[in-house]
Amino acid sequence: MKKLIVLVAIVLSASCATNTSFNTFYQNHEDDSNFSFGLSSSLIATFLPDEDLEDIKPLLKKAKHIRILVFSENAEDKSQKFKNFINRSKFEEMVKLRSENDKIAFFTLEKRERIKEIVLEISSGDDLVLIGLKTDLTKKDLDKLLETEV
């Protein structure tokens, strides 16, 4: 009986964790987007110039996949739904930049001292772009990556 209770607890906690994943938002809104794109991290390198590849190689080694959603129609509605998703989930807003009608926000989802997901929200006028990256980074890994970009 104890094994059954433990198994149910594990399944429930795993399903709750899934609900906070960007992948869930992606699947729920993919059909409404003007453009959606999913790609394994091992294929990302083929689209990058060699000089950029060296800087982000550590990230790619610890990344699993990337998901991109682009909304041009009903972007304001999707932006509100994304905001509701972020508020319900355990994502932490790391950076938010605004300039007139443009906004960029950077969110992370941590689990056991590791960054499991990174989500970037870019909105400009009537357009909304959401980029989700499934990772297994430490904060130190992220700091190193950000240092190389600056």
Side-chain angles (χ1 to χ4, degrees):
M1 184 68 167
K2 278 186 178 180
K3 288 182 181 178
L4 180 61
I5 292 171
V6 169
L7 180 62
V8 169
I10 290 171
V11 169
L12 286 175
S13 66
S15 67
C16 290
T18 302
N19 289 336
T20 61
S21 167
F22 178 74
N23 194 47
T24 302
F25 185 88
Y26 178 88
Q27 290 174 348
N28 290 339
H29 300 280
E30 180 180 17
D31 292 339
D32 300 332
S33 69
N34 294 86
F35 177 78
S36 61
F37 187 73
L39 185 65
S40 166
S41 65
S42 59
L43 293 176
I44 295 171
T46 60
F47 296 103
L48 297 173
D50 290 338
E51 60 270 8
D52 292 340
L53 190 56
E54 285 303 315
D55 291 339
I56 65 165
K57 205 178 262 187
L59 174 64
L60 291 178
K61 286 182 181 178
K62 295 186 178 193
K64 294 181 175 98
H65 64 261
I66 188 169
R67 303 273 188 253
I68 300 171
L69 288 171
V70 178
F71 300 97
S72 293
E73 299 171 16
N74 301 320
E76 190 173 307
D77 177 54
K78 293 302 175 190
S79 184
Q80 185 59 47
K81 288 183 180 187
F82 179 72
K83 182 178 178 181
N84 293 342
F85 163 76
I86 288 295
N87 290 338
R88 281 191 321 269
S89 70
K90 297 178 181 179
F91 279 91
E92 180 181 349
E93 184 177 284
M94 302 301 286
V95 176
K96 183 184 255 183
L97 303 168
R98 285 186 175 229
S99 173
E100 295 180 26
N101 289 336
D102 301 334
K103 178 178 91 171
I104 297 175
F106 179 80
F107 304 91
T108 59
L109 178 66
E110 287 185 44
K111 187 175 182 181
R112 295 189 203 118
E113 302 295 318
R114 303 203 57 92
I115 298 169
K116 294 299 190 178
E117 290 187 68
I118 298 171
V119 177
L120 187 62
E121 174 190 20
I122 305 165
S123 61
S124 179
D126 294 333
D127 297 323
L128 172 66
V129 177
L130 301 171
I131 302 170
L133 180 65
K134 193 86 142 167
T135 67
D136 190 29
L137 296 170
T138 64
K139 286 186 177 182
K140 188 176 179 181
D141 293 331
L142 188 59
D143 288 344
K144 282 182 186 177
L145 181 67
L146 294 174
E147 285 174 9
T148 60
E149 295 298 315
V150 174

